[in-house]
Amino acid sequence: MYIWSKPASAQVFKHSRQWHEDSTALTLHAARNMVVSGQICLRDAETAFDVTGLETANIPLGITAKTYITDYMIYNDGIPYPDILSTKAQTHVPMNVTQSLWYCFTVGNDAPVGTHTITIIVHTSLGEYSVDWKLTVYPVTLPEPKDSTFGHEYFLNPFGNFPKNHPCKKPPKEPFYTHIRYDEGWWELMANFAKTLQTMRVNSLHIPVMTLLYDGGSKRVSDTEWELSFDLFDCFVEHFMANGSFRYLTISAIIASVDGKRMQSIDADGSGIWLEIFTPECEAWAKTFYSGLYKHFEEKGWLSMLQMRLQDEPHSTEFWKWAKDLCRECMPGVVCGEPIDTHTISRELCGYMDQYIPRIEVYEEGKDYYLERQKAGDQVWCYSCCYPFDMGWMNKFIDLPPIYPRLMKWACFTHGITGFLHWGFNYWDHTLYGFHPDARFKGDGFIVYPDAEHNSLMLSARGLNTIDGLQDWELLNLLREKNPAAAKAIACRVAKAFNDLHTDSISLEAARAEVLTLLC
């Protein structure tokens, strides 16, 4: 049996072999309130075997462990991509095939400082194998996601796979769960969504507002009047807040993406309709919607958390400006920001947008402009969605190295970017982005996997690397307060830009250790 260790940022395929520099040794470097991970790799050249159990031993108080078995996504290229961190208890490994196993440690706020030896144990049909890893805990504590100054957001799909009160309705194409929307099991699943978001340091809750208004009993009462019911909206938000850690409550855009022209609204029977922008009825609706949200958030004491999205990826500015003018009138002081996929639009929205969210290659095209906007007091985040598709750019596709999602946050720190949005949290059904064998943008629509057996979600290798990147950003941010020149120099050395980066896992772990050492 060949057995060796790899960092979490390494991509271990079924055909991967042990290299001469590989050994069973691995050292993890952690602050408190942090998650750190590594992989054990197994391969036997003479016989197939079964992995029958995973254990850890000698774990100090204040540190907890979770174990996962790597599972694979296969698309039409036939390559088994190691991405799913499965909660299954065992797996079969064919002869001359490498299987990686994940060991993840949550370092609590009371974890003892120092270097600890933790024993990693793998039970197989060929016997028990154990190796020792080192886990060094530094006297540094990361903030909770809700206290972070870095925003992290995903578009959620909490409704798309669940019919509303129609158990006989034809189920979605992929009925991963069997719940009806808003039944007991669905609310339990949403709690697990929120807990997973917290684990992933997601602190901006992207709220699909119109579904909650439709389903909650809102309706149109005249040509220019609507009654908005926020009861279901509140249940949803409060449920997520009780189980997650959020700094921002972000309202999803209701203007049609890209071309604009229409806005989602509510009809007399509570169903959804589209209204043409620039008409009196649409303006009446928009004022009702924006002022109603503002008043409700003010009553709930959530106003400081409110962020607005108006029109996703606008390709002209007239509709976004129209909506922003209404928000200024109805929602004074509320931050309005948007994912932007052309730099021309960013420039045309100067003076309107409070929070610029250019796609990563759009940011690189206009980074001097975005620096000017930061100096003027505007926020600058970034996002990734489908593009850039060219080699050399970081992205979260399954067929790219999983170290890229981690390095994205290093590039954010290099440029003073204070938030990151990735559109796809759990859009598993989408042909272009999801599980479909012919998906062009492999994995772009999801960062987690359904776990129907436990009514929960499974993490991905890309997801864990995203967590690592966010934690690295927090460490660099702490170092910036103490030694800004050192923090900037280390970040630039690792990721100077979204297409200028170093992908060596060992060097990246050494950079984290360097930052932690400088913080002590």
Side-chain angles (χ1 to χ4, degrees), residues 31-57:
R32 289 165 165 160
N33 198 27
M34 189 167 173
V35 176
V36 289
S37 311
Q39 301 176 72
I40 288 287
C41 306
L42 303 177
R43 183 185 183 98
D44 196 285
E46 297 180 354
T47 183
F49 63 94
D50 295 318
V51 174
T52 58
L54 309 179
E55 282 187 80
T56 54

PDB file of all heavy atoms in Angstrom, residues 31-57:
ATOM      1  N   ALA A  31      -5.026  29.714  12.975  1.00  0.00           N
ATOM      2  CA  ALA A  31      -5.433  30.608  14.051  1.00  0.00           C
ATOM      3  C   ALA A  31      -6.612  29.971  14.763  1.00  0.00           C
ATOM      4  O   ALA A  31      -7.138  28.925  14.349  1.00  0.00           O
ATOM      5  CB  ALA A  31      -5.819  31.969  13.482  1.00  0.00           C
ATOM      6  N   ARG A  32      -7.034  30.563  15.836  1.00  0.00           N
ATOM      7  CA  ARG A  32      -8.282  30.129  16.457  1.00  0.00           C
ATOM      8  C   ARG A  32      -9.473  30.600  15.619  1.00  0.00           C
ATOM      9  O   ARG A  32      -9.357  31.548  14.858  1.00  0.00           O
ATOM     10  CB  ARG A  32      -8.374  30.696  17.873  1.00  0.00           C
ATOM     11  CG  ARG A  32      -7.378  30.039  18.845  1.00  0.00           C
ATOM     12  CD  ARG A  32      -7.226  30.831  20.094  1.00  0.00           C
ATOM     13  NE  ARG A  32      -6.577  30.075  21.161  1.00  0.00           N
ATOM     14  CZ  ARG A  32      -5.993  30.640  22.218  1.00  0.00           C
ATOM     15  NH1 ARG A  32      -5.978  31.954  22.355  1.00  0.00           N
ATOM     16  NH2 ARG A  32      -5.434  29.885  23.140  1.00  0.00           N
ATOM     17  N   ASN A  33     -10.584  29.897  15.785  1.00  0.00           N
ATOM     18  CA  ASN A  33     -11.802  30.168  15.007  1.00  0.00           C
ATOM     19  C   ASN A  33     -11.528  29.988  13.515  1.00  0.00           C
ATOM     20  O   ASN A  33     -11.910  30.817  12.689  1.00  0.00           O
ATOM     21  CB  ASN A  33     -12.351  31.568  15.285  1.00  0.00           C
ATOM     22  CG  ASN A  33     -13.799  31.705  14.843  1.00  0.00           C
ATOM     23  OD1 ASN A  33     -14.540  30.726  14.805  1.00  0.00           O
ATOM     24  ND2 ASN A  33     -14.207  32.908  14.500  1.00  0.00           N
ATOM     25  N   MET A  34     -10.910  28.875  13.188  1.00  0.00           N
ATOM     26  CA  MET A  34     -10.458  28.624  11.824  1.00  0.00           C
ATOM     27  C   MET A  34     -10.615  27.144  11.509  1.00  0.00           C
ATOM     28  O   MET A  34     -10.575  26.287  12.392  1.00  0.00           O
ATOM     29  CB  MET A  34      -8.979  29.046  11.713  1.00  0.00           C
ATOM     30  CG  MET A  34      -8.383  29.061  10.340  1.00  0.00           C
ATOM     31  SD  MET A  34      -6.792  29.943  10.407  1.00  0.00           S
ATOM     32  CE  MET A  34      -6.191  29.653   8.765  1.00  0.00           C
ATOM     33  N   VAL A  35     -10.819  26.829  10.222  1.00  0.00           N
ATOM     34  CA  VAL A  35     -10.909  25.450   9.747  1.00  0.00           C
ATOM     35  C   VAL A  35      -9.681  25.160   8.892  1.00  0.00           C
ATOM     36  O   VAL A  35      -9.365  25.931   7.979  1.00  0.00           O
ATOM     37  CB  VAL A  35     -12.184  25.214   8.922  1.00  0.00           C
ATOM     38  CG1 VAL A  35     -12.223  23.802   8.357  1.00  0.00           C
ATOM     39  CG2 VAL A  35     -13.425  25.482   9.760  1.00  0.00           C
ATOM     40  N   VAL A  36      -8.990  24.051   9.176  1.00  0.00           N
ATOM     41  CA  VAL A  36      -7.841  23.649   8.367  1.00  0.00           C
ATOM     42  C   VAL A  36      -8.003  22.188   7.968  1.00  0.00           C
ATOM     43  O   VAL A  36      -8.600  21.390   8.695  1.00  0.00           O
ATOM     44  CB  VAL A  36      -6.501  23.851   9.107  1.00  0.00           C
ATOM     45  CG1 VAL A  36      -6.183  25.325   9.241  1.00  0.00           C
ATOM     46  CG2 VAL A  36      -6.523  23.183  10.481  1.00  0.00           C
ATOM     47  N   SER A  37      -7.475  21.844   6.801  1.00  0.00           N
ATOM     48  CA  SER A  37      -7.734  20.524   6.226  1.00  0.00           C
ATOM     49  C   SER A  37      -6.497  19.982   5.523  1.00  0.00           C
ATOM     50  O   SER A  37      -5.598  20.726   5.139  1.00  0.00           O
ATOM     51  CB  SER A  37      -8.873  20.595   5.205  1.00  0.00           C
ATOM     52  OG  SER A  37      -9.991  21.271   5.712  1.00  0.00           O
ATOM     53  N   GLY A  38      -6.510  18.664   5.341  1.00  0.00           N
ATOM     54  CA  GLY A  38      -5.483  18.000   4.552  1.00  0.00           C
ATOM     55  C   GLY A  38      -6.029  16.696   4.007  1.00  0.00           C
ATOM     56  O   GLY A  38      -7.148  16.277   4.343  1.00  0.00           O
ATOM     57  N   GLN A  39      -5.228  16.062   3.156  1.00  0.00           N
ATOM     58  CA  GLN A  39      -5.667  14.829   2.510  1.00  0.00           C
ATOM     59  C   GLN A  39      -4.665  13.698   2.753  1.00  0.00           C
ATOM     60  O   GLN A  39      -3.450  13.913   2.755  1.00  0.00           O
ATOM     61  CB  GLN A  39      -5.781  15.034   0.996  1.00  0.00           C
ATOM     62  CG  GLN A  39      -6.734  16.123   0.566  1.00  0.00           C
ATOM     63  CD  GLN A  39      -6.729  16.324  -0.934  1.00  0.00           C
ATOM     64  OE1 GLN A  39      -7.245  15.497  -1.691  1.00  0.00           O
ATOM     65  NE2 GLN A  39      -6.141  17.420  -1.384  1.00  0.00           N
ATOM     66  N   ILE A  40      -5.207  12.505   2.943  1.00  0.00           N
ATOM     67  CA  ILE A  40      -4.430  11.268   2.912  1.00  0.00           C
ATOM     68  C   ILE A  40      -4.734  10.562   1.596  1.00  0.00           C
ATOM     69  O   ILE A  40      -5.900  10.443   1.202  1.00  0.00           O
ATOM     70  CB  ILE A  40      -4.798  10.345   4.096  1.00  0.00           C
ATOM     71  CG1 ILE A  40      -4.251  10.914   5.402  1.00  0.00           C
ATOM     72  CG2 ILE A  40      -4.287   8.935   3.877  1.00  0.00           C
ATOM     73  CD1 ILE A  40      -2.750  10.774   5.556  1.00  0.00           C
ATOM     74  N   CYS A  41      -3.699  10.103   0.919  1.00  0.00           N
ATOM     75  CA  CYS A  41      -3.857   9.432  -0.375  1.00  0.00           C
ATOM     76  C   CYS A  41      -3.449   7.970  -0.246  1.00  0.00           C
ATOM     77  O   CYS A  41      -2.403   7.664   0.342  1.00  0.00           O
ATOM     78  CB  CYS A  41      -3.004  10.109  -1.435  1.00  0.00           C
ATOM     79  SG  CYS A  41      -3.286  11.878  -1.571  1.00  0.00           S
ATOM     80  N   LEU A  42      -4.274   7.087  -0.784  1.00  0.00           N
ATOM     81  CA  LEU A  42      -4.018   5.635  -0.737  1.00  0.00           C
ATOM     82  C   LEU A  42      -4.007   5.073  -2.151  1.00  0.00           C
ATOM     83  O   LEU A  42      -4.839   5.450  -2.989  1.00  0.00           O
ATOM     84  CB  LEU A  42      -5.098   4.927   0.079  1.00  0.00           C
ATOM     85  CG  LEU A  42      -5.335   5.364   1.525  1.00  0.00           C
ATOM     86  CD1 LEU A  42      -6.495   4.583   2.113  1.00  0.00           C
ATOM     87  CD2 LEU A  42      -4.079   5.153   2.359  1.00  0.00           C
ATOM     88  N   ARG A  43      -3.094   4.136  -2.386  1.00  0.00           N
ATOM     89  CA  ARG A  43      -3.030   3.473  -3.698  1.00  0.00           C
ATOM     90  C   ARG A  43      -2.326   2.129  -3.520  1.00  0.00           C
ATOM     91  O   ARG A  43      -1.285   2.043  -2.857  1.00  0.00           O
ATOM     92  CB  ARG A  43      -2.259   4.345  -4.690  1.00  0.00           C
ATOM     93  CG  ARG A  43      -2.191   3.787  -6.124  1.00  0.00           C
ATOM     94  CD  ARG A  43      -1.298   4.673  -6.989  1.00  0.00           C
ATOM     95  NE  ARG A  43      -1.253   4.223  -8.373  1.00  0.00           N
ATOM     96  CZ  ARG A  43      -1.990   4.737  -9.357  1.00  0.00           C
ATOM     97  NH1 ARG A  43      -2.828   5.733  -9.099  1.00  0.00           N
ATOM     98  NH2 ARG A  43      -1.879   4.268 -10.590  1.00  0.00           N
ATOM     99  N   ASP A  44      -2.900   1.093  -4.095  1.00  0.00           N
ATOM    100  CA  ASP A  44      -2.257  -0.219  -4.047  1.00  0.00           C
ATOM    101  C   ASP A  44      -2.088  -0.737  -5.477  1.00  0.00           C
ATOM    102  O   ASP A  44      -3.042  -0.728  -6.271  1.00  0.00           O
ATOM    103  CB  ASP A  44      -3.080  -1.219  -3.224  1.00  0.00           C
ATOM    104  CG  ASP A  44      -2.251  -2.435  -2.837  1.00  0.00           C
ATOM    105  OD1 ASP A  44      -2.004  -3.287  -3.716  1.00  0.00           O
ATOM    106  OD2 ASP A  44      -1.842  -2.518  -1.658  1.00  0.00           O
ATOM    107  N   ALA A  45      -0.882  -1.172  -5.796  1.00  0.00           N
ATOM    108  CA  ALA A  45      -0.559  -1.608  -7.162  1.00  0.00           C
ATOM    109  C   ALA A  45      -0.878  -3.075  -7.417  1.00  0.00           C
ATOM    110  O   ALA A  45      -0.787  -3.526  -8.561  1.00  0.00           O
ATOM    111  CB  ALA A  45       0.916  -1.343  -7.439  1.00  0.00           C
ATOM    112  N   GLU A  46      -1.257  -3.807  -6.370  1.00  0.00           N
ATOM    113  CA  GLU A  46      -1.416  -5.251  -6.542  1.00  0.00           C
ATOM    114  C   GLU A  46      -2.833  -5.751  -6.329  1.00  0.00           C
ATOM    115  O   GLU A  46      -3.191  -6.839  -6.804  1.00  0.00           O
ATOM    116  CB  GLU A  46      -0.475  -5.976  -5.567  1.00  0.00           C
ATOM    117  CG  GLU A  46       0.994  -5.682  -5.833  1.00  0.00           C
ATOM    118  CD  GLU A  46       1.901  -6.405  -4.853  1.00  0.00           C
ATOM    119  OE1 GLU A  46       1.383  -7.038  -3.903  1.00  0.00           O
ATOM    120  OE2 GLU A  46       3.128  -6.328  -5.034  1.00  0.00           O
ATOM    121  N   THR A  47      -3.657  -4.981  -5.623  1.00  0.00           N
ATOM    122  CA  THR A  47      -5.004  -5.480  -5.328  1.00  0.00           C
ATOM    123  C   THR A  47      -5.969  -4.332  -5.073  1.00  0.00           C
ATOM    124  O   THR A  47      -5.558  -3.238  -4.658  1.00  0.00           O
ATOM    125  CB  THR A  47      -4.984  -6.407  -4.093  1.00  0.00           C
ATOM    126  OG1 THR A  47      -6.297  -6.938  -3.874  1.00  0.00           O
ATOM    127  CG2 THR A  47      -4.543  -5.649  -2.848  1.00  0.00           C
ATOM    128  N   ALA A  48      -7.226  -4.571  -5.321  1.00  0.00           N
ATOM    129  CA  ALA A  48      -8.265  -3.628  -4.919  1.00  0.00           C
ATOM    130  C   ALA A  48      -8.483  -3.729  -3.410  1.00  0.00           C
ATOM    131  O   ALA A  48      -8.134  -4.741  -2.781  1.00  0.00           O
ATOM    132  CB  ALA A  48      -9.559  -3.932  -5.657  1.00  0.00           C
ATOM    133  N   PHE A  49      -9.069  -2.708  -2.829  1.00  0.00           N
ATOM    134  CA  PHE A  49      -9.328  -2.740  -1.385  1.00  0.00           C
ATOM    135  C   PHE A  49     -10.509  -1.829  -1.072  1.00  0.00           C
ATOM    136  O   PHE A  49     -10.966  -1.048  -1.914  1.00  0.00           O
ATOM    137  CB  PHE A  49      -8.089  -2.313  -0.590  1.00  0.00           C
ATOM    138  CG  PHE A  49      -7.632  -0.897  -0.837  1.00  0.00           C
ATOM    139  CD1 PHE A  49      -8.044   0.146  -0.021  1.00  0.00           C
ATOM    140  CD2 PHE A  49      -6.781  -0.610  -1.904  1.00  0.00           C
ATOM    141  CE1 PHE A  49      -7.630   1.443  -0.250  1.00  0.00           C
ATOM    142  CE2 PHE A  49      -6.356   0.689  -2.146  1.00  0.00           C
ATOM    143  CZ  PHE A  49      -6.766   1.709  -1.318  1.00  0.00           C
ATOM    144  N   ASP A  50     -10.999  -1.920   0.149  1.00  0.00           N
ATOM    145  CA  ASP A  50     -12.090  -1.080   0.635  1.00  0.00           C
ATOM    146  C   ASP A  50     -11.591  -0.186   1.760  1.00  0.00           C
ATOM    147  O   ASP A  50     -10.860  -0.657   2.652  1.00  0.00           O
ATOM    148  CB  ASP A  50     -13.252  -1.931   1.159  1.00  0.00           C
ATOM    149  CG  ASP A  50     -13.908  -2.747   0.064  1.00  0.00           C
ATOM    150  OD1 ASP A  50     -14.112  -2.199  -1.034  1.00  0.00           O
ATOM    151  OD2 ASP A  50     -14.201  -3.938   0.302  1.00  0.00           O
ATOM    152  N   VAL A  51     -11.975   1.065   1.713  1.00  0.00           N
ATOM    153  CA  VAL A  51     -11.823   1.942   2.873  1.00  0.00           C
ATOM    154  C   VAL A  51     -13.068   1.746   3.725  1.00  0.00           C
ATOM    155  O   VAL A  51     -14.191   1.939   3.253  1.00  0.00           O
ATOM    156  CB  VAL A  51     -11.680   3.415   2.446  1.00  0.00           C
ATOM    157  CG1 VAL A  51     -11.659   4.324   3.677  1.00  0.00           C
ATOM    158  CG2 VAL A  51     -10.424   3.622   1.617  1.00  0.00           C
ATOM    159  N   THR A  52     -12.884   1.336   4.958  1.00  0.00           N
ATOM    160  CA  THR A  52     -14.024   0.967   5.807  1.00  0.00           C
ATOM    161  C   THR A  52     -14.266   1.921   6.971  1.00  0.00           C
ATOM    162  O   THR A  52     -15.268   1.790   7.674  1.00  0.00           O
ATOM    163  CB  THR A  52     -13.828  -0.453   6.355  1.00  0.00           C
ATOM    164  OG1 THR A  52     -12.587  -0.511   7.089  1.00  0.00           O
ATOM    165  CG2 THR A  52     -13.774  -1.473   5.221  1.00  0.00           C
ATOM    166  N   GLY A  53     -13.361   2.876   7.187  1.00  0.00           N
ATOM    167  CA  GLY A  53     -13.580   3.826   8.275  1.00  0.00           C
ATOM    168  C   GLY A  53     -12.447   4.816   8.396  1.00  0.00           C
ATOM    169  O   GLY A  53     -11.301   4.507   8.047  1.00  0.00           O
ATOM    170  N   LEU A  54     -12.768   6.009   8.903  1.00  0.00           N
ATOM    171  CA  LEU A  54     -11.777   7.063   9.111  1.00  0.00           C
ATOM    172  C   LEU A  54     -11.858   7.528  10.560  1.00  0.00           C
ATOM    173  O   LEU A  54     -12.952   7.681  11.102  1.00  0.00           O
ATOM    174  CB  LEU A  54     -12.036   8.255   8.182  1.00  0.00           C
ATOM    175  CG  LEU A  54     -12.222   7.969   6.684  1.00  0.00           C
ATOM    176  CD1 LEU A  54     -12.497   9.271   5.934  1.00  0.00           C
ATOM    177  CD2 LEU A  54     -11.013   7.277   6.102  1.00  0.00           C
ATOM    178  N   GLU A  55     -10.691   7.754  11.168  1.00  0.00           N
ATOM    179  CA  GLU A  55     -10.643   8.193  12.564  1.00  0.00           C
ATOM    180  C   GLU A  55      -9.536   9.211  12.753  1.00  0.00           C
ATOM    181  O   GLU A  55      -8.633   9.337  11.917  1.00  0.00           O
ATOM    182  CB  GLU A  55     -10.346   7.010  13.492  1.00  0.00           C
ATOM    183  CG  GLU A  55     -11.479   6.083  13.811  1.00  0.00           C
ATOM    184  CD  GLU A  55     -11.045   5.087  14.869  1.00  0.00           C
ATOM    185  OE1 GLU A  55     -11.042   5.465  16.056  1.00  0.00           O
ATOM    186  OE2 GLU A  55     -10.682   3.955  14.506  1.00  0.00           O
ATOM    187  N   THR A  56      -9.592   9.909  13.872  1.00  0.00           N
ATOM    188  CA  THR A  56      -8.483  10.733  14.332  1.00  0.00           C
ATOM    189  C   THR A  56      -8.288  10.467  15.818  1.00  0.00           C
ATOM    190  O   THR A  56      -9.221  10.053  16.517  1.00  0.00           O
ATOM    191  CB  THR A  56      -8.761  12.234  14.113  1.00  0.00           C
ATOM    192  OG1 THR A  56     -10.006  12.569  14.735  1.00  0.00           O
ATOM    193  CG2 THR A  56      -8.820  12.567  12.632  1.00  0.00           C
ATOM    194  N   ALA A  57      -7.085  10.700  16.287  1.00  0.00           N
ATOM    195  CA  ALA A  57      -6.783  10.484  17.705  1.00  0.00           C
ATOM    196  C   ALA A  57      -5.829  11.579  18.180  1.00  0.00           C
ATOM    197  O   ALA A  57      -5.194  12.273  17.379  1.00  0.00           O
ATOM    198  CB  ALA A  57      -6.173   9.100  17.919  1.00  0.00           C
TER     199      ALA A  57
END
